Amino acid sequence: MGKQETSGKAKQVTGRIKEAAGILTGDKALERKGAAERTEGKVEETLGKARRKVGEAIAGVAKAIKK
């Protein structure tokens, strides 16, 4: 797992906590901020996975060319 994926997962957890805190306290702004942070984290994690997969595919092609 890459750095970007890990960072994305951390943002998702932080966002969930903020969102839950907003719901519990009735703070709509905190709830929205948490939801936005959670979404941002999901996008970051997905981009990290895509970058990793592309890197793995390129490494596989390079390995096949060397043979």
Side-chain angles (χ1 to χ4, degrees), residues 2 9-12 15 17-19 21-22 34 36 40 47 49-51 53-54 59 62 64:
K9 284 187 180 286
K11 282 184 183 177
Q12 287 181 65
I17 291 168
K18 287 179 182 178
E19 190 175 11
E40 181 183 325
L47 287 172
K49 283 182 182 179
R51 288 179 71 192
K53 295 288 184 181
V54 168

Side-chain angles (χ1 to χ4, degrees), residues 30-47:
L30 183 60
E31 185 179 345
R32 283 190 303 273
K33 184 176 181 180
E37 192 168 339
R38 191 167 45 92
T39 301
E40 181 183 325
K42 183 65 178 170
V43 169
E44 188 172 342
E45 178 188 8
T46 302
L47 287 172

Side-chain angles (χ1 to χ4, degrees), residues 50-66:
R51 288 179 71 192
R52 182 172 45 86
K53 295 288 184 181
V54 168
E56 290 170 357
I58 289 171
V61 169
K63 199 178 255 188
I65 290 172
K66 287 182 181 180

